[in-house]
Amino acid sequence: MRRVTKPDITWEEPYCAEGANCFRIGTDPTGNAYIAIAGQEDTYLTDTRDALRTLIQDIKDGKADHLL
């Protein structure tokens, strides 16, 4: 994933798991997707919406379970 500065991002409401682990997902008009820690939206990861969709699906499929 690449890091980009100051695009026009529309952020979704924060997704919070147990505790204070809150993340936000956003998109911009050119089709990029963003992930940030809630409250720290100036520092984010970005890639295409397809890449984000694949990441989320892989996590749902358990491919990141070894990180837990």
Side-chain angles (χ1 to χ4, degrees):
M1 293 187 185
R2 57 191 164 84
R3 189 169 179 202
V4 181
T5 57
K6 298 293 181 187
D8 184 22
I9 303 170
T10 301
W11 292 104
E12 300 290 328
E13 290 297 316
Y15 168 79
C16 299
E18 294 180 23
N21 301 321
C22 297
F23 294 91
R24 294 186 81 181
I25 294 176
T27 55
D28 70 18
T30 62
N32 295 307
Y34 301 82
I35 302 174
I37 296 171
Q40 299 179 29
E41 288 82 359
D42 287 340
T43 304
Y44 50 80
L45 294 174
T46 184
D47 209 323
T48 64
R49 289 182 187 184
D50 287 337
L52 178 60
R53 188 175 297 113
T54 299
L55 173 66
I56 291 169
Q57 189 60 54
D58 285 351
I59 290 169
K60 285 181 173 182
D61 291 344
K63 294 181 181 179
D65 286 357
H66 65 283
L67 300 172
L68 303 175

